[in-house]
Amino acid sequence: MTSCKQTSKIKSALPSSNIELAILGMVIFIILGLNQLAMANTSPNLFITTTDIENMRSAIKEQGTFKQAFVINKALVDQQILEAIVVPMPEDGGGGYTHERHKKNYKLMVNAAIIYQLTQDERYADYVRDMLVEYAALYPTLPLHPKRKMGKQNPGKLFWQSLNEAVWLVYTSQAYDLILSSLSKAEKEKIELGLFRPIVKFLSVDSPETFNKVHNHGTWTTAAVGMTGYVLGEPEWVEQALYGLDKSGEGGFLRQLDELFSPQGYYNEGPYYQRYALMPFVTFAKVIQNNQPERNIFEYRNGIVLKAIDTTIQLSYNKLFFPINDAIKDKGIDTIELVNGVAIAYGLTGEAGLLDIAKQQDQILLTGDGLKVAQALDKKLEQPYHFDSVAFGDGNDGKQGALVIMRQNVDGEQALLFKPAAQGLGHGHFDKLTWQFYDKGEEIVSDYGAARFLNVEAKYGGRYLPENKTWAKQTIAHNTVVVDEKSHFNGKVKIGNKKHPELLFFEKNDHITISSARIDSAYKGVSLTRTMAFIDLPELDPSLVIDVFDIKSDSKHQYDLPVHYKGHLISTNFELGTQLTNLSVLGKDNGYQHLWLKAQAHPKTNLSQITWLNKNGRFYTQSSIVDDDSSIIFTQIGSNDPLFNLRNENAFIYRNPQSKNHTFVSVLEPHGEYNPSKEYTINAVSKVQKLIHKKENNIDVVEITFIDDRQYLLAFISSENNQANQENKFSFNGSKYQFNGRFMFLEINK
Amino acid sequence: MTSCKQTSKIKSALPSSNIELAILGMVIFIILGLNQLAMANTSPNLFITTTDIENMRSAIKEQGTFKQAFVINKALVDQQILEAIVVPMPEDGGGGYTHERHKKNYKLMVNAAIIYQLTQDERYADYVRDMLVEYAALYPTLPLHPKRKMGKQNPGKLFWQSLNEAVWLVYTSQAYDLILSSLSKAEKEKIELGLFRPIVKFLSVDSPETFNKVHNHGTWTTAAVGMTGYVLGEPEWVEQALYGLDKSGEGGFLRQLDELFSPQGYYNEGPYYQRYALMPFVTFAKVIQNNQPERNIFEYRNGIVLKAIDTTIQLSYNKLFFPINDAIKDKGIDTIELVNGVAIAYGLTGEAGLLDIAKQQDQILLTGDGLKVAQALDKKLEQPYHFDSVAFGDGNDGKQGALVIMRQNVDGEQALLFKPAAQGLGHGHFDKLTWQFYDKGEEIVSDYGAARFLNVEAKYGGRYLPENKTWAKQTIAHNTVVVDEKSHFNGKVKIGNKKHPELLFFEKNDHITISSARIDSAYKGVSLTRTMAFIDLPELDPSLVIDVFDIKSDSKHQYDLPVHYKGHLISTNFELGTQLTNLSVLGKDNGYQHLWLKAQAHPKTNLSQITWLNKNGRFYTQSSIVDDDSSIIFTQIGSNDPLFNLRNENAFIYRNPQSKNHTFVSVLEPHGEYNPSKEYTINAVSKVQKLIHKKENNIDVVEITFIDDRQYLLAFISSENNQANQENKFSFNGSKYQFNGRFMFLEINK
């Protein structure tokens, strides 16, 4: 147990790296000799300020969205505080009873504490106090959690991992701040000595590795400790939270802001974890802003916190996050982390586009920023949020590859994700240069996401399933090239983390977005270059995706390029060669062991066409250049899956059995409509008739001919050192062409 | 070509079977010697009356839903009539260009004619006139359609089947009625002589078989001819339409009303075809009502037309029709046939519940009834439509089995369909006593429906796929017992049509709906009796389905009972015995050739439990009594499917390999919630612990024990001749019980 120092809750006077401190000429309070306990008369001022509370108290006297949210929340709290307080001895792991109960408790404490502030009814504060007292009695007696997994996660005491303990404290410190004014000195002493000081000690000085770690677990921990420091008036804890235990700046919250996001605010584990990581960043930043505005935390690193919030929104389609890496597909923009983020960002910036997102989130927070959002929505101030086509540079310098998002500009109904991004740590997949395609609200070319049934005990305890590693992370589970049936980096995360693709270019104009990237390190001696162009010409209704995947090697290999399609196969322009009465497994390992071989086709023409129908009622045809050696394999996930853990999804795989160099060229074409309700079907057949690819002087040329004889030419350069204003020349079919920069697209037979 | 008789458009004075004719003292007009052409000065009075038009003209002067619909429709018509009129020489079959063009034309004519009446702008009338004149020039030159399929469907001239021709005329006669007042005598003569008289002749006297057929094709034809008779002032055609070509009453519209619906208004092909059949019934009935109200057509057979409309609504769940027999699952209550039906029914009855349906349909018709609906919706007069638990007796007498719908009463979120219905003619499936279960908007225990991609040329020309017969119609494709891997009636429709199950009872109280039925003719020497109880006690959250399937035979057979479940398998309380690296086919024919054998389990305890997770986020566990011989087979659809025509859906099959008598007893239990977005999972595990079944003195007793030791007893009698007030006694576990009527359900260890 820590001893109590003679300090009060103060504005920090300790050294800060923020130059603005001096500029702003801040007033420094150093008041020694006062009560060492948190000062009730400054409460609340952690996440919600006294001014916020005054505004909220006024708002609930009038009709409106905010009052509705208050009424609902109060009713929920009223119901819950009727029940006896339960603070159980920690026993269960994630999803188990005691785990869930302690999670429920922190949420309940915050909610009840807010209702206390809004109603000024002591019953709510007393309830929180009583629960905190129980925790204060329990906590000092706790050993490490019985379900801890040493070596895997850092253990907690209330929870099996210290991560949950830090989350618990981020919330509970807020609840405490909100009821401080209702507590006697003795009560405060009991709670702080029994609970807050020991838990802070446990999370900081007793766990230096986690605390100093530049990782989202570290962010939760530093936020928890820093926030508690503000409430208990321990500026030392705040300093440690910001600069690491030794205050050197090598660890701590600011270092995390420097390292964990790219300059554009992209978090390199991907949006699923970005969303999760966001919570402690925005919460602690807001707390710092409330307590030490002179730190200008929201301006830190050119406004990285706000950029991270905005990027999280950009990384969604139809309200759901793009499922890259270990992502559960149900997560979307209505997640509480982003509700909080959007409210805070709106509170700071007043951007009307954020209200569009807030409206879709349909959750009003009982906070100062939540009030601002609610009042703005009541006034219908929202404007359409603008989803953009962006290449999000990866890594802390933004130069370790990129995550590329292309949007159709007319109505944004289509999105293409192209992923020359870095590995993304332990949750990363071996999916360099993969892509995904979305249309009319649905997945069209899809990614499996994570193999996990979150918190479903019967499915491997609710944790990541074994098949997450054996299938979901493997290269064949993605829409990118697999060489010799092995995964990128031979499936080694450590190697993957050290390497990354290079973004060669990303360009866009009114109708075309195009990007090219390369990686030479995924396979030894094999260079992979992919160029994806999203063409959205008005006359090409609805649009086209052109994909040129160029492989170079000095030795012969088998190259597989899978397309994980979503929908029902409608037709192919070749014999399928379907297995009718017996299915066997496609391969032995690296994910191949999970694929049933349903059909293997050997197209006789050099243009293969595969059409499927998505549940959105639209048809999709992929037309592809195939050479004589190639075959197309149709697969279904499901073999070597003894417990039916995997979803039985379908794919086709273009296979080139042995080549040194090979280029996969294809065009994806959404078309037509199937409407069995209104009983019509239109344009169920592809309009692409011919596809030619050639390469001349580093210039790739793709010619597309439609059944009405219209012809289009795409030319691009994917070499590293092309200059924007360089004049590129090539001849094709007897005609000569030239263009500046990276690409050219034109109709040639007009 | 017919000769023109000297009759005018008159109210019929010909004999009618309706006794009301005399009672009402109707005024009879017999006006001979007038112009033989349709009288312009009574136009319109077919489907839309002059009074309707006056009201509609007023309505479009004011803001409201109706005006919105008018503006949108007018804009659509304005756009279409800019294009040249195209009346192509018939060439293509269903889905082809000329087929679709002629369909588009009749809709366009009706819409333009309505806009003409509402705007009184002659341009619209002229457009319709010009198109009719083109048809009048073309029609007399037409041979039978080149794509006709003799022996399969009756051929048309404009269309490959005469059915489409009749549909065309039902619409076009309305368009003609609406523009009559704008036409000169010469124009009328040209159109009637060239088009209407020859097409009526072709559909009636030249096609007596279809015309007189008591079948929905006959209904379209009689409606078309009768409607044209009203417009052209040919009462003879009306009489033939109502009573058959020979006016004997053996054919015709009234006979169709007598025969094609059960007394409750159930159409024995099931809701998918009921919806389709509804259109000519309600349209022609409305026309008769407008022209000869003295026929009281809506009171005919105790209001059978209105009952048919209401029953069609009742046969839906979450806006979609229950997919029994050859049904495409996307069809629902927003289908134009039911929009029309609901508007007419509301116009007649003013029932506020119908407005609830109209609101969900979200389509306002530019008709007199459409106006009434629009005005009522503007006034927010809608009341919740009441979905009820009903046994719809099948067959014209309502005694040929039944289609049983059970609903959860609290909020209607659950529905159970139990199908001891008759075969349902050529579109019927061999699915006697099957069931389906729905919850939270989704299919839980499902029916494949039809194997068809409507109008998708690449999928077998858009017709029913070959797999509709080889899979979808077969017994194993349904949730009912298959004996010796053969389908009911050995898959013979003709035999099926002659036999039907017997509904033993259907009873309901506040918390329980229970029904029992038997069929002895599906398999020779095998009696099948199934009893399904839907238990919705407040303390049994959310509910239970108890299923007792009793099979009796003097010889030994293999009995298979499939459950086609929708969702992801979560857990089983037995080893699955999964095939890991090789899949083989379950059987040789009768649908078994389409099933991959994924796993075969031999549960070691006598209670098997299988849990799956539906996309609605709820878990479902089926607990079942299994004996030592039994196995449980897990299958996936997809073998012997060379063109990937079938959806790869999952099932498990309880198999009893050889028994004379056997009873399958199971309980389906919805439970818990999986919420990966909010990151919680609750009650993922079944609460059923034990299941006992015994039979004593014709009384079946099922005891269910839950993990908290609560015990419930269901007792019922499925013998044919039980009396409602009979006192039934049995003993169970040493206690004695007695009950009156068919069943008893109680908690026994209170």
Side-chain angles (χ1 to χ4, degrees), chain B residues 356-425:
Chain B
D356 181 9
I357 302 300
K359 194 177 175 185
Q360 294 178 55
Q361 290 173 332
D362 196 23
Q363 290 172 67
I364 295 299
L365 297 177
L366 298 183
T367 66
D369 293 323
L371 174 60
K372 287 181 191 169
V373 168
Q375 291 176 331
L377 288 177
D378 283 347
K379 288 180 194 154
K380 301 190 190 303
L381 298 181
E382 69 272 14
Q383 293 289 327
Y385 178 86
H386 180 64
F387 286 97
D388 206 1
S389 295
V390 187
F392 293 98
D394 200 351
N396 58 352
D397 58 357
K399 291 174 180 169
Q400 299 165 39
L403 183 70
V404 176
I405 308 295
M406 305 182 183
R407 307 264 184 183
Q408 188 210 37
N409 292 320
V410 181
D411 50 11
E413 75 171 358
Q414 298 183 326
L416 188 157
L417 177 148
F418 174 41
K419 189 171 181 267
Q423 182 68 18
L425 309 178

Side-chain angles (χ1 to χ4, degrees), chain A residues 615-629:
Chain A
K615 66 179 170 185
N616 68 14
R618 194 170 274 176
F619 297 91
Y620 298 85
T621 295
Q622 192 167 59
S623 303
S624 192
I625 298 173
V626 286
D627 53 31
D628 293 346
D629 295 348

